Amino acid sequence: GDNISNRRLTFNEFTVLYWAWKNIKADYVGLCHYRRYMIFPKTRLSSDPYGNVLLNSFDEKTCELCGLLDKKQLENTISQYDLLLAEPYNVGYRNFKNLYEHYEEVPWQHKKDMLLALDVISEICPDYRDSANEYFNGQLFYPCNLFIMRKNILDIYCSWLFEILFRLEELIKPETLQGNERRAVGYLGERLLGVFILDYLKKHPDCKYKITQRALVLNSNQITSNKCKTWVYRIAPENSVIARGMRKIYNMVQMYRR
């Protein structure tokens, strides 16, 4: 199907999102990392200062703890909302005044790139500029591209997002950079989720949304174990459309990890 897999070393997980947007027919579409997941526990779980529920592994026991094995309950929960997001964290915890300072925490991410993203937003979709300014200058950060959206909202998000990312790619020229700096477009894309969410909720005050906890799996080797694959087939028959789609996404994520 339609894909941008050739950009996986510069667009990060957005190659998976693009494929899902263009090829999956579903009422809802979501995105997660191979170590970070939205979770739906019956009672709130303890978390670190960043809001991560730390899990040593991602096996059947922890999936049950996180409320991920009850398919009917998951469907009932998700269907009540238009949009589900992993809870944000306040970068002020680390004494950052705003998301610009937080972005520069690591040496391969540069404020000038975020300012370039703001310029591109002003060029392509100026009605988003105020929300971008508010989000970038704020302290609340929606990390890791974790979300579940109704497909019609995802279509709006992805049409907006990828136009910006492709323009940033033209300007940044990641093929001329080295190391993690080549991933600048992907890193900026992670910051754009919050811009879209902030703007969408302003324009659609009746939108029903839910904030969930997020889990961080410390031992990523467990995620690719047969136990995890067995869990996938517990909630979806092996030859079902869901299982086939999950296998494709799983294989793409493994390519990205390499």
Side-chain angles (χ1 to χ4, degrees):
D2 191 356
N3 70 84
I4 54 170
S5 298
N6 61 316
R7 290 177 165 92
R8 66 185 179 87
L9 295 180
T10 55
F11 273 54
N12 305 345
E13 64 269 20
F14 289 104
T15 58
V16 178
L17 177 60
Y18 184 93
W19 182 89
W21 171 39
K22 292 293 188 178
N23 296 282
I24 289 180
K25 294 181 179 180
D27 295 328
Y28 289 83
V29 175
L31 185 66
C32 64
H33 285 213
Y34 72 92
R35 291 201 305 146
R36 297 175 176 86
Y37 300 87
M38 297 172 67
I39 59 174
F40 301 82
K42 292 181 180 179
T43 58
R44 185 172 178 84
L45 302 177
S46 61
S47 59
D48 68 11
Y50 303 99
N52 296 308
V53 175
L54 302 178
L55 304 175
N56 287 323
S57 62
F58 198 56
D59 54 20
E60 186 171 329
K61 183 178 179 180
T62 54
C63 285
E64 184 173 5
L65 175 69
C66 293
L68 298 176
L69 293 184
D70 190 335
K71 180 183 177 183
K72 185 175 181 180
Q73 183 57 45
L74 283 171
E75 289 178 344
N76 288 340
T77 299
I78 293 170
S79 63
Q80 296 179 51
Y81 301 97
D82 304 311
L83 178 63
L84 298 94
L85 299 162
E87 64 183 38
Y89 77 85
N90 193 314
V91 301
Y93 165 75
R94 297 282 306 283
N95 297 317
F96 295 117
K97 294 179 180 179
N98 51 50
L99 297 191
Y100 287 114
E101 289 188 2
H102 175 258
Y103 189 72
E104 289 195 300
E105 179 182 16
V106 293
W108 53 84
Q109 293 180 175
H110 310 294
K111 180 178 178 179
K112 64 179 178 63
D113 291 335
M114 284 188 70
L115 293 173
L116 181 62
L118 186 62
D119 288 342
V120 170
I121 289 171
S122 299
E123 170 194 332
I124 292 176
C125 45
D127 56 315
Y128 280 82
R129 183 181 173 86
D130 287 346
S131 292
N133 261 321
E134 181 180 346
Y135 185 66
F136 289 167
N137 285 292
Q139 292 181 309
L140 211 58
F141 176 44
Y142 288 93
C144 307
N145 292 315
L146 296 175
F147 64 80
I148 300 171
M149 299 179 184
R150 287 191 186 275
K151 184 58 164 59
N152 65 306
I153 300 176
L154 183 98
D155 289 340
I156 297 170
Y157 170 53
C158 287
S159 295
W160 172 83
L161 173 70
F162 283 102
E163 185 176 7
I164 294 171
L165 294 185
F166 291 144
R167 179 61 178 146
L168 285 170
E169 181 184 43
E170 293 175 358
L171 297 171
I172 293 174
K173 297 180 172 55
E175 70 277 3
T176 67
L177 303 175
Q178 300 295 322
N180 284 332
E181 288 188 338
R182 295 185 65 196
R183 299 184 181 274
V185 174
Y187 297 144
L188 292 170
E190 183 180 2
R191 272 70 189 173
L192 293 177
L193 172 63
V195 174
F196 177 82
I197 295 302
L198 180 62
D199 194 84
Y200 189 86
L201 294 180
K202 285 180 183 178
K203 294 174 179 174
H204 301 84
D206 296 331
C207 175
K208 297 178 180 178
Y209 70 96
K210 178 180 178 63
I211 303 296
T212 78
Q213 286 194 272
R214 54 185 149 79
L216 170 61
V217 183
L218 301 176
N219 183 3
S220 62
N221 290 331
Q222 289 288 331
I223 300 172
T224 58
S225 69
N226 288 329
K227 288 183 180 179
C228 184
K229 295 176 185 177
T230 300
W231 165 71
V232 168
Y233 297 125
R234 278 190 56 183
I235 65 170
E238 183 169 356
N239 292 318
S240 68
V241 173
I242 293 175
R244 292 199 300 271
M246 290 183 77
R247 276 199 299 273
K248 289 181 179 179
I249 293 176
Y250 172 86
N251 290 333
M252 290 180 72
V253 170
Q254 299 315 302
M255 288 178 62
Y256 167 66
R257 290 180 66 188
R258 291 195 291 270

